[in-house]
Amino acid sequence: MAARRSPCICLSVVFLAMIAVVAVSQIIVEWRQGDSPQIAELFRQKPTRANLRRLESSLESGCRIGQTVRPWMQFARFVLLEDAGDNAILGRDGWFFYRPAVQYLIEPWSPEGGQTQGNVFDAIISFRDDLAKRGIQLLVMPAPNKASVYPEMLTGRTRKETGSVNASTREILVRLKQEGVEILDLFEVYDRAKRVAGSPACYLAQDSHWSPEGMRLAAEAVANRLLDLGWIEKRATKYETRSAPVERHGDVLRMMRVPQVERLFEPQGMDCTQVVDAETGQLYADDPNSPVLVLGDSFLRIFERDEPGSGGFVAHLASNLGFGLSSIVSDGGASTLVRQQLARKPALLKDKRVVVWEFVERDLRFGTEGWQRVPLPAPDGSG
Amino acid sequence: MAFSSHIFLFYFLPVLLALYHVLPARWLAARNVLLLVAGYVFYAWIDPRLTLLLFGLTVVNYVLSRLIAGSSTRRVQSLMTAGAIALDLAVLGIFKYTAFLGDSLNSLLRFAGRDTLPILRIVLPVGISFYTFKVISYIVDVYRGRSPAARSLLDFACYVSFFPQLLSGPIQRFGTIDAKGEIVPTFADQLRTRWWTPNTFSHGVALFMLGFAKKILLADGVAQVADAVFTAASPGTLDAWFGALAYSFQLYFDFSAYSEMAIGLGLMFGFECARNFDAPYRAEGFGDFWRRWHISLSGWLRDYLYIPLGGNRAGTGRTYLNLMIVFLLCGLWHGAGWTFIVWGAWHGAWLVIERLFGRKPFYAFLPSPVRVLVTFLLITVGWVIFRTPDLAEAGRMLAIMFVPQSAQGGSALLSAVIYTRGHLIVMALCAVLVFQPLQGCDWTGRFHWAKVPVLVVLFALALMTMFAQSFRSFLYFQF
């Protein structure tokens, strides 16, 4: 009996130690830092459902042992199981994909399905009409999900597929075109670029965003479209580009928040080019008085406000058009937030003739704050 | 509070264990009070307002049970029993089925070209299906004279709110036991007398650790596959089968893990409870399956529904009808939706067919492993109906499974999400484990040194995985 009792006691002691050590160590660490224990919040606030969820969430996220263990465990899972975590999917040849963007392509979705706040058609058409009342034209440019352009880098199975991986998006674009919305179809632009043998990839391997090449193609296509439509004329400001190579890990890789995994991959090299004023030699800077306003999300931020700076879409579009542009950038908020910012500062529309509106494809479903109608104040200020 | 949550594992459980075992064993009433308070704190953590419902149901059923036991007239007893059951079912109906009935009625009205009615949508209190069944079994047992009425409100409240079983069972009875299940003392007896030894405590610890590891390492792993496939627009046939198998594994490992953790927690406080699963996917037919799956529910349905309906005593036709009624209601108990009812009908129909073939499946002539496989595949088909949000989706998914086709459009990308190295390993592990006969209750019951490191490593691995992945609730919370 005694022989059977020893393993029982041993197991119980180890179990109790394992479940007690987390809270005890947490309380000790918090005391040593001069903070009162987080769990004491339980007795300081009204025990409503919301408060309890908040406390539970902060206990989890603030857990020191959890913070220490998490990256190592994720590293082990990545190495042994190829599990890249909640936000990332490991593709082929070191390509990473942003999970919600892939989820957007896999799951059935309809803009009329009530899954998003507001309606994408209402939001875009009403915005186009509000701008038209001010004599401003709108060009809409959805930035494709990386997996829409390079599905074969996610799985070899798509090679055998005939159907488009993003039928929902294509249906939305067709319908918007039927409604008279001017769309720049980057899917076609990138499809053409892919067919050119040896051309650089339009997307970054470790990132959810376009590569410098993909960005330059987009800027060129938008400039050509605006000029072809006659909405704007090319002007005489001379810009030059200068090489500014950048090396860094991509955002999808960094979203894993596991330095050990990042160390497994070389930082991706990016053949960036900065735009400089040919006369002054100054780096490109926005011009608030420009006739063109560009709205968008992190696709506009990359290379422009991030490293190397003045080397992103806005600068290259300006270079193609021969004059400086205005821009409003809201990370992850191109569906609604960026228009709300504009509605709060309608003066930004003064003397504008064209608005270029970029948003990433997945935001058709997952855009922050959905696709709300955001009426612009009336041109005469009465509204 | 879920057993696999941070707050439960690292705060609630250690504090409760410490407080409970600091109280001297002879202060049983004080320990029961502590468990009662713990049960209400545990339940209030989800939403403090829900405790009012739990308390109300407890008090009303306690009072009615005392009146039933105290009444000398059978007619009065019958009336009060019927009233208590009607009240319990009304509460369950209002919270669980109002929206479903409203939606179904509106579908009919739309079909008839009439205006639809506004529908009251009420949040489903977690665990309500389980604790209403517990109180109904108690009321019926008191009425039948098989169980004395609870001696005190404390005893009864402690039974209803016993936190290990509160949210997802097992549906342990108060003063009786399932005659066809494992023999353990009744809950009422255990409230008055229970022996705590290091061995029972460590058995509970071992069961809890094993259940936790099953939940985090297996159930949550295959859940990602099932979720991805069942939400995909046009998966291929292979994907659909892979997802359906993943869901079969997920249901078993998730729910059996919860049951093992619940039984293990009970043991840590000196309470025994019969096992709730017994290798269900080794069943050789549907009758066999229901003797192995969610045993406390199938025992409840047999004793409190099937037998009162007449069971198999009223002729062949009536037996078949009773079986269908029981399983349609079993489906409805699992969820307020037509898919659950059809799932219940699927099981009921197969049980009727087995009766037609002399209580054997029609494929009884096949070798045993093939019978197991056929039963498992038929049950998996049932789970597809169970998992899908509506019948149209269930039909679509089953069509994909049985009419070979490749993934279409964006669903071709599914393969990158589901056929990862990690998922393939977990699916293979699940496939091996579900068909082996040894159950957690047995494995942890015969304890020796070699099992200590196995359990510690599994538990540690599960804890570390829990830190590295987002929280996933237990499946049966939604029922």
Side-chain angles (χ1 to χ4, degrees), chain A residues 205-219:
Chain A
Q206 301 168 0
D207 210 286
S208 60
H209 298 101
W210 49 30
S211 64
E213 178 66 12
M215 176 273 299
R216 282 190 287 262
L217 285 172

Side-chain angles (χ1 to χ4, degrees), chain B residues 65-87:
Chain B
S65 72
R66 299 292 301 184
L67 291 173
I68 292 166
S71 171
S72 54
T73 317
R74 196 61 181 161
R75 191 161 172 272
V76 175
Q77 285 181 325
S78 302
L79 276 174
M80 279 191 288
T81 302
I85 293 171
L87 178 83

Side-chain angles (χ1 to χ4, degrees), chain B residues 182-199:
Chain B
E182 265 182 331
I183 305 299
V184 295
T186 66
F187 197 91
D189 288 342
Q190 297 189 64
L191 280 170
R192 287 191 289 276
T193 319
R194 52 185 184 268
W195 284 274
W196 181 92
T197 67
N199 285 16

Side-chain angles (χ1 to χ4, degrees), chain B residues 140-340:
Chain B
V140 173
D141 284 343
V142 171
Y143 169 73
R144 289 172 174 169
R146 291 182 188 164
S147 164
R151 288 192 311 180
S152 66
L153 180 60
L154 169 65
D155 275 7
F156 185 61
C158 201
Y159 162 69
V160 179
S161 67
F162 188 51
F163 79 89
Q165 304 169 359
L166 182 58
L167 303 184
S168 292
I171 307 171
Q172 192 169 12
R173 301 170 197 188
F174 181 73
T176 60
I177 57 165
D178 179 351
K180 294 190 176 175
E182 265 182 331
I183 305 299
V184 295
T186 66
F187 197 91
D189 288 342
Q190 297 189 64
L191 280 170
R192 287 191 289 276
T193 319
R194 52 185 184 268
W195 284 274
W196 181 92
T197 67
N199 285 16
T200 54
F201 185 85
S202 69
H203 184 199
V205 165
L207 258 181
F208 184 85
M209 290 169 105
L210 193 66
F212 183 75
K214 275 167 71 173
K215 161 69 179 160
I216 300 288
L217 301 178
L218 299 178
D220 287 357
V222 290
Q224 293 168 13
V225 176
D227 289 350
V229 172
F230 279 89
T231 52
S234 306
T237 298
L238 184 67
D239 306 331
W241 273 105
F242 198 64
L245 291 177
Y247 187 61
S248 293
F249 295 153
Q250 184 197 358
L251 264 174
Y252 170 65
F253 284 109
D254 192 280
F255 192 26
S256 69
Y258 184 92
S259 294
E260 283 171 5
M261 291 165 87
I263 295 168
L265 284 166
L267 285 170
M268 290 184 213
F269 297 96
F271 285 86
E272 290 180 65
C273 177
R275 73 180 62 197
N276 209 21
F277 287 86
D278 188 13
Y281 291 149
R282 284 174 61 84
E284 296 188 5
F286 277 73
D288 192 17
F289 174 75
W290 281 102
R291 284 187 289 276
R292 295 161 174 267
W293 177 274
H294 202 171
I295 295 167
S296 63
L297 175 68
S298 48
W300 193 101
L301 292 171
R302 183 192 63 235
D303 291 346
Y304 302 102
L305 189 58
Y306 179 67
I307 292 173
L309 283 171
N312 57 4
R313 302 184 307 273
T316 310
R318 184 57 194 256
T319 302
Y320 299 160
L321 179 65
N322 289 345
L323 275 172
M324 286 306 295
I325 291 171
V326 167
F327 276 89
L328 287 172
L329 290 174
C330 173
L332 198 57
W333 177 86
H334 278 86
W338 288 103
T339 50
F340 294 105

Side-chain angles (χ1 to χ4, degrees), chain A residues 47 53 56 82 108 155 157 161, chain B residues 45 48 231 233 239 407 415 421 467:
Chain A
R53 290 293 80 74
E56 191 170 357
E82 294 178 344
T155 167
R157 201 171 164 188
E161 293 304 317
Chain B
W45 193 265
T231 52
D239 306 331
S415 56
R421 190 190 295 165
F467 285 130

Side-chain angles (χ1 to χ4, degrees), chain A residues 5 8 11-12 15 23 47 53 56 60 70 73-74 77 79-82 86 105-108 155 157 161 164-165, chain B residues 6-7 10 45-46 48 198-199 201-202 205 231 233 239 407 409-412 415 421-422 447 464-465 467-468 470:
Chain A
R5 202 163 162 159
C8 293
L11 182 74
S12 301
F15 170 75
R53 290 293 80 74
E56 191 170 357
E60 270 178 50
R70 189 178 301 127
M73 194 61 198
Q74 285 182 331
R77 288 171 68 87
V79 171
L80 299 172
L81 307 177
E82 294 178 344
D86 291 340
L105 298 173
I106 291 175
E107 294 178 4
T155 167
R157 201 171 164 188
E161 293 304 317
S164 155
V165 295
Chain B
H6 191 94
I7 187 77
F10 303 128
W45 193 265
I46 300 164
N199 285 16
F201 185 85
S202 69
V205 165
T231 52
D239 306 331
S411 294
S415 56
R421 190 190 295 165
F447 206 70
M464 289 191 293
T465 304
F467 285 130
S470 44

